[in-house]
Amino acid sequence: MAFIKGIFKKKKQITSHFPKPSSQVMDDLKHLSTNVQEGDALKNIEHIFGHDHDFVKREIIALEHIPATVLYLNSITDKDAISKEVMKPLTESKACHHSNESLKDYVLKKVLFHADVKTETELTKVVEGLIRGNTVLILNGLNDVFLINTYKTDKRSISQPDTEQVIRGSREGFIENLQSNTALIRARIPIPDLRVKSLKIGTMTQTNVVICYIDGVANPALVEDVEKRLNNIHVDRILDAGYIEQFIQDNPRSPFPQVKSTERPDVTVGNLLEGRVCILVDGSPFVLIVPATFAQFYQTSEDYNERFIMVSAVRIVRVVALLFSLIMPSLYVAILSYHPELIPTAFAVAITSGRAGVPFPAVVEVFLMEAAMEILREATVRMPKQVGGALSIVGVLVIGQAAVEAGFVSPITVVVIALTTIGSFATPAYNMAIGFRMMRFPLLIMTGLLGFYGLVLGLLLVNNHVLSLKSFGVPYFSPMAPLNFEGLKDTVIRAPLNWLLDRPEELHPVNKRRIRPNDLGPTNPLADEHVKREGGNKKK
């Protein structure tokens, strides 16, 4: 018990005690000069980037008589924009015979056509801007350096994500470009209350991370907690949203995910409107949604596009498939090895005849088949698409049939494992499905040792662990535990949309009402009840 408690014990936040690494080049640059006018900026920049093959230095004559130098990295910049919006206006504009301050304003307001231009005097910021895709313009005799945002890289087109397929719904999915992902969210929430805060994480990668929430809906304490956890991340690299997820979750040792990830803009917008906070990471098509509850991982965006009766039936099927995939192998072992009297006589004879000649006990037989299925599943995922489909068919049909004919496993065991695997596919969230797939093995071992008692004990431990989890202070099993009848309308079943009056209570949103009383309509039986409740709250 102490070992199990140690595994699931909450990990202490120790990241803030680690020293923050820094770039050696930036440290050396600070020793050379702090400001541009204190040293030769062009010489220092050439010293850093002179050996890089994508570094370009272009010397021109600006404003008819001023020598100028244009610097950029051609691998991450838009060369057409540099030519048309930087070099062309500089070389074709008339001379300006004014002071340095007037010259800076003249170039900013009348010469450069680009929309995103700023000036810098600190050499470290100039170098940082250059590696961020900015074009550096140095005018002879001017202390300020111009930074023109000409960042551009190749990106894939917006398409439907492969991990979250729907029959009825949007066909748009996030890509690896942060600006495009932000635009997909803003297009669906065209209100000024949408807040988009940016910060950089990773001392080496300096990855852009964006926090999205709706002001006036999301709880300010939740937003503050998210920002605090992100600011406490001190690592050298953030290459994907998965890095962020592992640092900010409450219990990183739990097999169950406490942060929901999605590739769909409609899912992200729906959670924002409920009062949650979303985290976007540059270079990752996955958006993190916090806080996350257990019920979220068994819901899809398609659940809100269909009629509530059909959706409720589908959700019940998913829950049944979940329980089926979790306990079916252990239940089979418990009945076969410890409680065969529970099996009808005719069925027991069929199972006994099928197991004739099998050299392994039931628990070993099921364990080997489960391990083989996990290996086959992983191989199918990692293989190329042209080979993966054929491999899965060969593995299931040929290998399974050969194992039965060779006498290594019984036919009923193959059927049980096949049904268990199919049931695990009904879980929409891949990371949640992995957690339950891994839980089958300790349940199987406990059942093999103690029978039904081991299965019940294992389920109690899993249930106790799930009930103890929290995601950013929100109970993982809410609104079922603690019980909230209003929240139960959108868990295992989904009530009609006009019955979902309030946002999730466990999020403590600022604006709790999703539907106003006037929007319910005169024929809705909840309209009068809602008005009475509002009146009672006002009197209180």
Side-chain angles (χ1 to χ4, degrees), residues 462-485:
V462 172
N463 185 63
N464 181 68
H465 172 64
V466 173
L467 291 175
S468 67
L469 288 178
K470 288 187 177 182
S471 176
F472 285 79
V474 175
Y476 196 56
F477 227 66
S478 59
M480 293 172 283
L483 184 61
N484 177 19
F485 289 102

mmCIF file of all heavy atoms in Angstrom, residues 462-485:
data_model
loop_
_atom_site.group_PDB
_atom_site.id
_atom_site.type_symbol
_atom_site.label_atom_id
_atom_site.label_comp_id
_atom_site.label_asym_id
_atom_site.label_seq_id
_atom_site.Cartn_x
_atom_site.Cartn_y
_atom_site.Cartn_z
ATOM 1 N N VAL A 462 -8.590 2.035 -8.063
ATOM 2 C CA VAL A 462 -8.683 2.929 -9.222
ATOM 3 C C VAL A 462 -9.708 4.025 -8.971
ATOM 4 O O VAL A 462 -9.464 5.206 -9.253
ATOM 5 C CB VAL A 462 -9.039 2.119 -10.488
ATOM 6 C CG1 VAL A 462 -9.321 3.056 -11.658
ATOM 7 C CG2 VAL A 462 -7.915 1.162 -10.835
ATOM 8 N N ASN A 463 -10.865 3.625 -8.418
ATOM 9 C CA ASN A 463 -11.915 4.606 -8.148
ATOM 10 C C ASN A 463 -11.458 5.624 -7.107
ATOM 11 O O ASN A 463 -11.721 6.832 -7.236
ATOM 12 C CB ASN A 463 -13.171 3.886 -7.663
ATOM 13 C CG ASN A 463 -14.336 4.824 -7.478
ATOM 14 O OD1 ASN A 463 -14.816 5.441 -8.426
ATOM 15 N ND2 ASN A 463 -14.810 4.945 -6.245
ATOM 16 N N ASN A 464 -10.772 5.162 -6.078
ATOM 17 C CA ASN A 464 -10.276 6.068 -5.039
ATOM 18 C C ASN A 464 -9.256 7.041 -5.618
ATOM 19 O O ASN A 464 -9.251 8.240 -5.260
ATOM 20 C CB ASN A 464 -9.663 5.249 -3.901
ATOM 21 C CG ASN A 464 -9.148 6.138 -2.782
ATOM 22 O OD1 ASN A 464 -9.915 6.780 -2.083
ATOM 23 N ND2 ASN A 464 -7.828 6.175 -2.625
ATOM 24 N N HIS A 465 -8.405 6.551 -6.505
ATOM 25 C CA HIS A 465 -7.403 7.436 -7.110
ATOM 26 C C HIS A 465 -8.050 8.488 -8.007
ATOM 27 O O HIS A 465 -7.689 9.666 -7.958
ATOM 28 C CB HIS A 465 -6.408 6.600 -7.913
ATOM 29 C CG HIS A 465 -5.460 7.423 -8.734
ATOM 30 N ND1 HIS A 465 -4.543 8.280 -8.180
ATOM 31 C CD2 HIS A 465 -5.330 7.552 -10.086
ATOM 32 C CE1 HIS A 465 -3.862 8.881 -9.141
ATOM 33 N NE2 HIS A 465 -4.328 8.462 -10.301
ATOM 34 N N VAL A 466 -9.023 8.078 -8.810
ATOM 35 C CA VAL A 466 -9.693 9.032 -9.698
ATOM 36 C C VAL A 466 -10.421 10.097 -8.896
ATOM 37 O O VAL A 466 -10.411 11.286 -9.239
ATOM 38 C CB VAL A 466 -10.656 8.285 -10.643
ATOM 39 C CG1 VAL A 466 -11.493 9.269 -11.447
ATOM 40 C CG2 VAL A 466 -9.884 7.377 -11.589
ATOM 41 N N LEU A 467 -11.076 9.694 -7.797
ATOM 42 C CA LEU A 467 -11.801 10.654 -6.974
ATOM 43 C C LEU A 467 -10.877 11.622 -6.254
ATOM 44 O O LEU A 467 -11.298 12.717 -5.871
ATOM 45 C CB LEU A 467 -12.672 9.911 -5.946
ATOM 46 C CG LEU A 467 -13.863 9.131 -6.509
ATOM 47 C CD1 LEU A 467 -14.555 8.356 -5.407
ATOM 48 C CD2 LEU A 467 -14.842 10.073 -7.192
ATOM 49 N N SER A 468 -9.621 11.239 -6.049
ATOM 50 C CA SER A 468 -8.677 12.120 -5.354
ATOM 51 C C SER A 468 -7.991 13.108 -6.279
ATOM 52 O O SER A 468 -7.341 14.043 -5.805
ATOM 53 C CB SER A 468 -7.610 11.275 -4.644
ATOM 54 O OG SER A 468 -6.790 10.595 -5.592
ATOM 55 N N LEU A 469 -8.124 12.913 -7.582
ATOM 56 C CA LEU A 469 -7.442 13.797 -8.528
ATOM 57 C C LEU A 469 -8.133 15.148 -8.623
ATOM 58 O O LEU A 469 -9.347 15.268 -8.440
ATOM 59 C CB LEU A 469 -7.390 13.149 -9.910
ATOM 60 C CG LEU A 469 -6.452 11.964 -10.109
ATOM 61 C CD1 LEU A 469 -6.591 11.425 -11.530
ATOM 62 C CD2 LEU A 469 -5.011 12.372 -9.835
ATOM 63 N N LYS A 470 -7.340 16.154 -8.935
ATOM 64 C CA LYS A 470 -7.847 17.495 -9.202
ATOM 65 C C LYS A 470 -7.100 18.076 -10.396
ATOM 66 O O LYS A 470 -5.937 17.741 -10.639
ATOM 67 C CB LYS A 470 -7.683 18.416 -7.992
ATOM 68 C CG LYS A 470 -8.624 18.113 -6.852
ATOM 69 C CD LYS A 470 -8.529 19.160 -5.756
ATOM 70 C CE LYS A 470 -9.528 18.883 -4.642
ATOM 71 N NZ LYS A 470 -9.478 19.917 -3.576
ATOM 72 N N SER A 471 -7.785 18.940 -11.113
ATOM 73 C CA SER A 471 -7.176 19.647 -12.238
ATOM 74 C C SER A 471 -7.355 21.138 -11.999
ATOM 75 O O SER A 471 -8.469 21.652 -12.087
ATOM 76 C CB SER A 471 -7.836 19.226 -13.560
ATOM 77 O OG SER A 471 -7.304 19.973 -14.640
ATOM 78 N N PHE A 472 -6.274 21.791 -11.623
ATOM 79 C CA PHE A 472 -6.290 23.210 -11.289
ATOM 80 C C PHE A 472 -7.340 23.514 -10.220
ATOM 81 O O PHE A 472 -8.100 24.473 -10.315
ATOM 82 C CB PHE A 472 -6.534 24.052 -12.537
ATOM 83 C CG PHE A 472 -5.347 24.146 -13.439
ATOM 84 C CD1 PHE A 472 -5.029 23.109 -14.305
ATOM 85 C CD2 PHE A 472 -4.532 25.264 -13.431
ATOM 86 C CE1 PHE A 472 -3.928 23.181 -15.133
ATOM 87 C CE2 PHE A 472 -3.425 25.350 -14.245
ATOM 88 C CZ PHE A 472 -3.115 24.314 -15.102
ATOM 89 N N GLY A 473 -7.373 22.649 -9.204
ATOM 90 C CA GLY A 473 -8.287 22.837 -8.091
ATOM 91 C C GLY A 473 -9.685 22.323 -8.309
ATOM 92 O O GLY A 473 -10.499 22.351 -7.378
ATOM 93 N N VAL A 474 -10.016 21.837 -9.500
ATOM 94 C CA VAL A 474 -11.352 21.337 -9.805
ATOM 95 C C VAL A 474 -11.363 19.820 -9.622
ATOM 96 O O VAL A 474 -10.507 19.129 -10.183
ATOM 97 C CB VAL A 474 -11.769 21.708 -11.246
ATOM 98 C CG1 VAL A 474 -13.119 21.086 -11.597
ATOM 99 C CG2 VAL A 474 -11.811 23.215 -11.404
ATOM 100 N N PRO A 475 -12.293 19.262 -8.832
ATOM 101 C CA PRO A 475 -12.363 17.797 -8.672
ATOM 102 C C PRO A 475 -12.494 17.095 -10.021
ATOM 103 O O PRO A 475 -13.289 17.495 -10.870
ATOM 104 C CB PRO A 475 -13.604 17.595 -7.804
ATOM 105 C CG PRO A 475 -13.752 18.879 -7.053
ATOM 106 C CD PRO A 475 -13.274 19.957 -7.987
ATOM 107 N N TYR A 476 -11.710 16.053 -10.194
ATOM 108 C CA TYR A 476 -11.614 15.380 -11.486
ATOM 109 C C TYR A 476 -12.925 14.715 -11.890
ATOM 110 O O TYR A 476 -13.231 14.617 -13.082
ATOM 111 C CB TYR A 476 -10.495 14.344 -11.414
ATOM 112 C CG TYR A 476 -10.017 13.821 -12.743
ATOM 113 C CD1 TYR A 476 -9.553 14.687 -13.734
ATOM 114 C CD2 TYR A 476 -10.012 12.462 -13.011
ATOM 115 C CE1 TYR A 476 -9.092 14.212 -14.944
ATOM 116 C CE2 TYR A 476 -9.554 11.965 -14.226
ATOM 117 C CZ TYR A 476 -9.101 12.843 -15.180
ATOM 118 O OH TYR A 476 -8.658 12.372 -16.399
ATOM 119 N N PHE A 477 -13.702 14.272 -10.916
ATOM 120 C CA PHE A 477 -14.925 13.542 -11.218
ATOM 121 C C PHE A 477 -16.175 14.427 -11.149
ATOM 122 O O PHE A 477 -17.292 13.921 -11.187
ATOM 123 C CB PHE A 477 -15.072 12.353 -10.269
ATOM 124 C CG PHE A 477 -15.433 11.071 -10.957
ATOM 125 C CD1 PHE A 477 -14.561 10.463 -11.836
ATOM 126 C CD2 PHE A 477 -16.656 10.471 -10.730
ATOM 127 C CE1 PHE A 477 -14.878 9.279 -12.463
ATOM 128 C CE2 PHE A 477 -16.994 9.282 -11.356
ATOM 129 C CZ PHE A 477 -16.112 8.677 -12.227
ATOM 130 N N SER A 478 -15.989 15.731 -11.041
ATOM 131 C CA SER A 478 -17.151 16.618 -11.021
ATOM 132 C C SER A 478 -17.785 16.627 -12.423
ATOM 133 O O SER A 478 -17.092 16.418 -13.425
ATOM 134 C CB SER A 478 -16.700 18.036 -10.637
ATOM 135 O OG SER A 478 -15.744 18.529 -11.558
ATOM 136 N N PRO A 479 -19.113 16.818 -12.504
ATOM 137 C CA PRO A 479 -20.063 17.154 -11.442
ATOM 138 C C PRO A 479 -20.683 15.938 -10.756
ATOM 139 O O PRO A 479 -21.671 16.086 -10.053
ATOM 140 C CB PRO A 479 -21.125 17.924 -12.217
ATOM 141 C CG PRO A 479 -21.143 17.268 -13.554
ATOM 142 C CD PRO A 479 -19.727 16.873 -13.843
ATOM 143 N N MET A 480 -20.103 14.745 -10.949
ATOM 144 C CA MET A 480 -20.652 13.550 -10.314
ATOM 145 C C MET A 480 -20.174 13.417 -8.877
ATOM 146 O O MET A 480 -20.899 12.896 -8.025
ATOM 147 C CB MET A 480 -20.272 12.315 -11.135
ATOM 148 C CG MET A 480 -20.949 12.282 -12.502
ATOM 149 S SD MET A 480 -20.349 10.949 -13.571
ATOM 150 C CE MET A 480 -18.781 11.637 -14.110
ATOM 151 N N ALA A 481 -18.962 13.858 -8.600
ATOM 152 C CA ALA A 481 -18.443 13.856 -7.243
ATOM 153 C C ALA A 481 -17.486 15.052 -7.102
ATOM 154 O O ALA A 481 -16.404 15.013 -7.698
ATOM 155 C CB ALA A 481 -17.706 12.552 -6.946
ATOM 156 N N PRO A 482 -17.909 16.081 -6.371
ATOM 157 C CA PRO A 482 -19.168 16.247 -5.641
ATOM 158 C C PRO A 482 -20.363 16.388 -6.579
ATOM 159 O O PRO A 482 -20.244 16.918 -7.680
ATOM 160 C CB PRO A 482 -18.946 17.527 -4.825
ATOM 161 C CG PRO A 482 -17.918 18.280 -5.601
ATOM 162 C CD PRO A 482 -17.030 17.251 -6.220
ATOM 163 N N LEU A 483 -21.512 15.942 -6.094
ATOM 164 C CA LEU A 483 -22.698 15.853 -6.931
ATOM 165 C C LEU A 483 -23.277 17.231 -7.215
ATOM 166 O O LEU A 483 -23.429 18.056 -6.317
ATOM 167 C CB LEU A 483 -23.750 14.978 -6.242
ATOM 168 C CG LEU A 483 -25.027 14.695 -7.036
ATOM 169 C CD1 LEU A 483 -24.701 13.949 -8.321
ATOM 170 C CD2 LEU A 483 -26.011 13.898 -6.189
ATOM 171 N N ASN A 484 -23.579 17.463 -8.490
ATOM 172 C CA ASN A 484 -24.221 18.701 -8.932
ATOM 173 C C ASN A 484 -25.260 18.315 -9.982
ATOM 174 O O ASN A 484 -24.915 17.913 -11.091
ATOM 175 C CB ASN A 484 -23.188 19.673 -9.506
ATOM 176 C CG ASN A 484 -23.820 20.943 -10.037
ATOM 177 O OD1 ASN A 484 -24.958 21.272 -9.691
ATOM 178 N ND2 ASN A 484 -23.094 21.649 -10.890
ATOM 179 N N PHE A 485 -26.543 18.404 -9.627
ATOM 180 C CA PHE A 485 -27.603 17.945 -10.511
ATOM 181 C C PHE A 485 -27.661 18.759 -11.799
ATOM 182 O O PHE A 485 -27.965 18.217 -12.867
ATOM 183 C CB PHE A 485 -28.954 18.018 -9.783
ATOM 184 C CG PHE A 485 -29.115 16.985 -8.708
ATOM 185 C CD1 PHE A 485 -28.948 17.335 -7.379
ATOM 186 C CD2 PHE A 485 -29.405 15.672 -9.027
ATOM 187 C CE1 PHE A 485 -29.082 16.377 -6.377
ATOM 188 C CE2 PHE A 485 -29.550 14.719 -8.036
ATOM 189 C CZ PHE A 485 -29.379 15.065 -6.710
#
